[in-house]
Amino acid sequence: MSENACSGIRLDLFLLLLVAVASGYLGHNYFKKNVSHTEFYQDKFGPAVTVACGKGFIDIDTSDSESLSEFLLGKRDRFECSYLPEKIKANKHSHWTDFQYDHMYLIGLVGLFWKVTAISWSGMAPLIGLFNGIISSLLYALFRLGMGRALSLLLSLILVVSPLQAGMLLHYRDFSKAPFVLAFILIISLMVTREMERRTLLFWSVILGLTLGLGLGFRQDIIICIPFFPFVLFLFVPGYSVARFMEKAFAFLLFLLAFYLAGYPIITYLAEGSNSWHVALVGLLPVWDKELSIITPPEYEWLNSPFDGYIVHVASGYWNNLSGHTGMLEYQTREYDYICLLYYFELVKHFPADFLVRYYAAIIGVLEMPFRYGSAVSPDGGDLYIALTKLREFSSSVISGWGVYLAMVALFIIGLVSIRLAGFVTCFIMYFAGYPFIQFGSRHYFHLEFITLWTTGFVVWTIITALVSKARNERSYLACVAGANGARSALFTIIVIGLLASSLYATRRYQQAHLSDLFDRYQSATTTSLQIWSGSLQDEKVIVGSQYYLERDEPSYMDTYYLRADFDLDRCGKKRINGSMFYHSKKGSNNYSAPFTLYRRGNQDKKASLFFPAFVSDITMFVGLELARNDEQCMTGLFRIESYKDLPLLLYLYLSDGWQDQPLYTTIY
């Protein structure tokens, strides 16, 4: 290695350390000054206290220690081991809670940290600062793959003070996964961009497996990285001979072994039911439509109540209808996971265009992330935070809305050098920017904000180097390859865009025709008319229902009814009817009441039908439809659909006359 190369590595290491220290300092101060706003399920961190006090990993019963209870509830900042009772009692269950199993390493690390420092929430600031420093150093290394040192340093610091990143500092559980995901991205990027000998490839594959295995004990989201590794390994890592293929296969086996060994306690627990598909179903609730910037047609909804128990009812009702079983599925079990998976892909089968739109919307949302979270952070972050944030706001405002276009320009430029590298970057963006559609909350994608900053920095750096070469009367490397590879790169970019557009067009055509037939089946299903009763509510409202599903003194653990309510809007002279499906909660916050709206589209359109599932169980009970008193006369009947085994989904349908002529697919706004 030449002296210049060694000097360059030393300078990179110095700058990497510099950005890590600066980011660690900023993260430490920000967390400490805002510790009262932290939220990461602190009440579940009892085992961290027992680890710190040398008692082992125990889900301690806090009934005998008021001070511990207050500490875990955030009512006090510090706790001393001397406050623990002499005889520690575990909670009634013989094992840890689901949260403690899922986050064993995360809680254990806090316990070990407290063991050498002090048991204190604000005392976690150095740990948060350490995580923040590691994240920024990984970001610097990622930026260096596409640009010079100065620009990499600047973008790393700008990203560290992003309002979204700063906010996530206060959510240790979600924030803690970022170093593991970024380390994974950095290592696979090095594998693709560097020629690695067999031993080096095997070494980094083991490191990757250990990284993800350890990360799994901090956050389950890490699992999403696993399928991407073999895809990249076999398609984009250089070398395609038979001997190289065998090396890659061995590398993948070592990766899996390292992952299994590092994550063994978590993996064995998740094998009994990971709850992942429950989370995926929650991600389909209408509340995420606004986050994705999509509009679902008013004719249908998949789900409509933001409670975990509601999802359990839907999955159980689906399975009971499908299999003839009765009762409610047990939450967070292997069987429940499987049923949620079946229901999820049943939705995919019937609504492929909607899922594709959600996927595209997530990619756009991630690429536009730096511009969506542009407001300044709390002044409690300190003067340096405020100064860097203002710089970030200015730079973001200049290129606001250009995230997708910058990505396409970057792909074209990379394609001038190598179609293999352009393919890797394309697949990376499509996978990592797309998967958050599963549940598009910022805690699931905040660590991906660097993608648009990377593409921006790469394009800017390419322009700078070209201008410098021109000023020196030199021909840049990019100019040399542009002539030979320009057409090839342009064709690659056009093919990518064409595939995305044609996929959406084809799935929309299919879904429009398919849903027209499917909804017709719902309308023509055999029904039994139910006797209607009504009762008065406050605020000039009434409840309209039937004794049919209320007659049981002791209802079975769970009954599911699929009902249809018919309305004639001419009878009350309305253009729309607003109401709600009204539930009575028997236990806790299990009120699954949800609003509905039926529209009158034209002067000739007067009939409308509402299709919906109704659940009656020992924790919640559907009572009836809540309507305005003046709208009660619009309702012409309530019907039970006798056999809905041929109707695969417990959909909410709002079908007014003329619905067949409306677009039955989701759009992006």
Side-chain angles (χ1 to χ4, degrees):
M1 186 179 293
S2 66
E3 182 60 31
N4 286 339
C6 289
S7 298
I9 291 175
R10 286 195 291 268
L11 180 56
D12 273 324
L13 289 175
F14 171 76
L15 292 176
L16 187 145
L17 181 61
L18 178 66
V19 75
V21 171
S23 301
Y25 172 77
L26 291 171
H28 171 280
N29 285 358
Y30 189 82
F31 182 87
K32 197 160 189 176
K33 291 179 179 180
N34 293 277
V35 69
S36 60
H37 303 298
T38 57
E39 184 180 345
F40 49 87
Y41 301 92
Q42 290 96 315
D43 59 314
K44 305 293 194 300
F45 276 66
V49 175
T50 58
V51 167
C53 295
K55 306 294 184 181
F57 200 98
I58 302 172
D59 182 26
I60 187 171
D61 184 354
T62 61
S63 60
D64 293 336
S65 177
E66 183 180 352
S67 57
L68 178 59
S69 177
E70 290 177 349
F71 174 73
L72 294 178
L73 292 174
K75 295 179 180 178
R76 60 191 304 168
D77 181 61
R78 299 180 68 86
F79 182 81
E80 300 291 340
C81 291
S82 59
Y83 298 161
L84 287 176
E86 291 184 9
K87 188 175 181 181
I88 293 178
K89 293 190 302 183
N91 274 318
K92 293 180 181 179
H93 47 75
S94 57
H95 300 288
W96 309 321
T97 65
D98 294 331
F99 181 92
Q100 290 159 355
Y101 268 114
D102 287 347
H103 303 85
M104 188 186 304
Y105 298 166
L106 174 132
I107 295 172
L109 178 62
V110 173
L112 293 174
F113 180 77
W114 281 344
K115 192 178 183 69
V116 298
T117 56
I119 303 174
S120 166
W121 297 122
S122 61
M124 287 178 59
L127 181 62
I128 301 300
L130 176 64
F131 270 75
N132 209 38
I134 293 172
I135 289 171
S136 61
S137 61
L138 291 168
L139 289 170
Y140 174 81
L142 280 167
F143 286 131
R144 281 291 287 127
L145 293 177
M147 63 204 76
R149 295 183 182 92
L151 194 53
S152 297
L153 181 65
L154 178 63
L155 292 178
S156 299
L157 290 175
I158 286 178
L159 189 54
V160 165
V161 299
S162 155
L164 179 58
Q165 307 302 320
M168 291 308 301
L169 283 171
L170 307 181
H171 301 272
Y172 169 61
R173 180 189 75 139
D174 299 300
F175 172 72
S176 65
K177 74 180 173 208
F180 300 98
V181 177
L182 293 175
F184 171 82
I185 294 171
L186 175 61
I187 293 172
I188 62 169
S189 298
L190 289 172
M191 285 181 167
V192 171
T193 56
R194 304 290 188 270
E195 292 283 349
M196 289 189 177
E197 296 180 352
R198 178 178 180 273
R199 185 178 299 178
T200 307
L201 180 67
L202 298 181
F203 171 78
W204 283 114
S205 297
V206 171
I207 295 299
L208 268 183
L210 293 174
T211 299
L212 295 188
L214 291 173
L216 187 64
F218 284 77
R219 197 74 172 92
Q220 249 189 74
D221 298 28
I222 294 294
I223 293 175
I224 203 71
C225 296
I226 295 174
F228 194 64
F229 176 62
F231 178 77
V232 169
L233 181 65
F234 290 103
L235 261 65
F236 298 112
V237 171
Y240 300 97
S241 66
V242 174
R244 187 61 167 173
F245 175 83
M246 297 304 295
E247 290 176 2
K248 292 179 180 181
F250 187 43
F252 181 53
L253 289 176
L254 288 179
F255 163 80
L256 291 178
L257 178 61
F259 172 75
Y260 182 77
L261 292 176
Y264 175 76
I266 319 299
I267 294 169
T268 53
Y269 171 71
L270 294 179
E272 299 302 317
S274 66
N275 213 36
S276 299
W277 292 104
H278 170 93
V279 173
L281 285 176
V282 172
L284 300 179
L285 286 165
V287 66
W288 303 111
D289 290 3
K290 183 178 180 181
E291 295 295 322
L292 286 164
S293 299
I294 60 176
I295 300 175
T296 300
E299 281 75 22
Y300 60 85
E301 280 183 320
W302 300 330
L303 304 161
N304 69 2
S305 185
F307 292 98
D308 287 330
Y310 165 76
I311 301 296
V312 176
H313 278 74
V314 171
S316 300
Y318 164 73
W319 182 240
N320 294 344
N321 175 49
L322 202 65
S323 65
H325 293 178
T326 59
M328 192 179 300
L329 294 167
E330 185 177 351
Y331 181 60
Q332 202 156 5
T333 60
R334 188 181 302 177
E335 181 188 27
Y336 178 69
D337 249 7
Y338 175 67
I339 302 309
C340 287
L341 181 151
L342 288 181
Y343 196 72
Y344 192 89
F345 280 97
E346 191 74 43
L347 287 168
V348 173
K349 183 173 73 174
H350 294 285
F351 298 86
D354 287 359
F355 277 85
L356 193 60
V357 165
R358 297 177 82 88
Y359 170 67
Y360 288 173
I363 294 173
I364 295 171
V366 169
L367 293 179
E368 295 294 327
M369 199 190 320
F371 321 125
R372 295 178 62 193
Y373 298 91
S375 58
V377 297
S378 163
D380 287 344
D383 294 338
L384 182 57
Y385 242 114
I386 296 299
L388 287 171
T389 301
K390 288 182 177 178
L391 175 61
R392 179 191 177 281
E393 286 180 346
F394 171 75
S395 58
S396 295
S397 65
V398 173
I399 55 174
S400 178
W402 283 77
V404 175
Y405 304 110
L406 286 166
M408 289 191 291
V409 172
L411 288 177
F412 174 74
I413 295 173
I414 295 170
L416 294 176
V417 178
S418 168
I419 292 298
R420 178 180 63 84
L421 292 179
F424 165 70
V425 175
T426 300
C427 292
F428 169 78
I429 292 175
M430 298 298 291
Y431 187 81
F432 277 92
Y435 84 75
F437 91 91
I438 297 171
Q439 193 179 111
F440 200 69
S442 58
R443 62 189 177 131
H444 296 296
Y445 60 72
F446 73 95
H447 52 290
L448 302 173
E449 189 175 3
F450 80 92
I451 295 176
T452 293
L453 293 185
W454 192 97
T455 57
T456 303
F458 175 74
V459 172
V460 170
W461 182 252
T462 301
I463 294 172
I464 290 174
T465 53
L467 292 175
V468 170
S469 296
K470 185 176 182 180
R472 294 175 176 175
N473 292 321
E474 298 173 354
R475 195 176 185 196
S476 66
Y477 172 75
L478 194 64
C480 293
V481 299
N485 301 332
R488 183 183 65 178
S489 183
L491 179 62
F492 172 82
T493 307
I494 291 170
I495 289 174
V496 170
I497 296 172
L499 286 174
L500 296 176
S502 60
S503 298
L504 182 59
Y505 175 77
T507 53
R508 277 184 169 174
R509 289 205 60 176
Y510 165 80
Q511 182 172 307
Q512 181 73 30
H514 176 70
L515 290 188
S516 294
D517 294 339
L518 180 65
F519 294 171
D520 277 336
R521 283 163 52 192
Y522 278 79
Q523 285 193 314
S524 60
T526 303
T527 61
T528 298
S529 179
L530 303 180
Q531 186 174 357
I532 295 177
W533 60 265
S534 64
S536 298
L537 296 174
Q538 295 178 346
D539 301 324
E540 292 298 310
K541 292 186 177 181
V542 295
I543 191 80
V544 181
S546 171
Q547 285 295 124
Y548 175 79
Y549 44 79
L550 298 178
E551 287 176 347
R552 301 168 183 258
D553 293 330
E554 295 291 335
S556 63
Y557 189 67
M558 195 191 107
D559 287 331
T560 304
Y561 306 96
Y562 198 64
L563 306 179
R564 188 188 86 203
D566 287 348
F567 294 82
D568 185 337
L569 279 69
D570 264 2
R571 292 177 59 175
C572 52
K574 292 292 185 72
K575 291 186 176 180
R576 71 165 61 187
I577 294 178
N578 296 312
S580 72
M581 291 157 271
F582 187 84
Y583 277 81
H584 167 66
S585 175
K586 298 180 181 179
K587 291 182 182 178
S589 58
N590 291 287
N591 188 338
Y592 304 153
S593 300
F596 71 86
T597 300
L598 293 171
Y599 296 90
R600 181 173 186 164
R601 299 191 177 282
N603 293 329
Q604 303 301 318
D605 304 328
K606 61 179 183 177
K607 300 289 179 67
S609 295
L610 166 67
F611 294 79
F612 61 99
F615 305 109
V616 178
S617 71
D618 64 342
I619 64 173
T620 192
M621 179 178 68
F622 173 72
V623 179
L625 299 178
E626 183 184 50
L627 302 169
R629 187 174 299 279
N630 293 335
D631 293 341
E632 181 184 2
Q633 58 182 314
C634 290
M635 187 169 170
T636 58
L638 183 65
F639 306 86
R640 179 195 178 193
I641 295 180
E642 283 297 324
S643 175
Y644 56 96
K645 287 191 175 182
D646 294 332
L647 308 178
L649 298 165
L650 299 175
L651 295 173
Y652 296 83
L653 300 181
Y654 315 101
L655 303 180
S656 303
D657 284 347
W659 65 265
Q660 298 92 337
D661 302 324
Q662 304 303 314
L664 300 176
Y665 47 78
T666 299
T667 55
I668 301 175
Y669 64 84

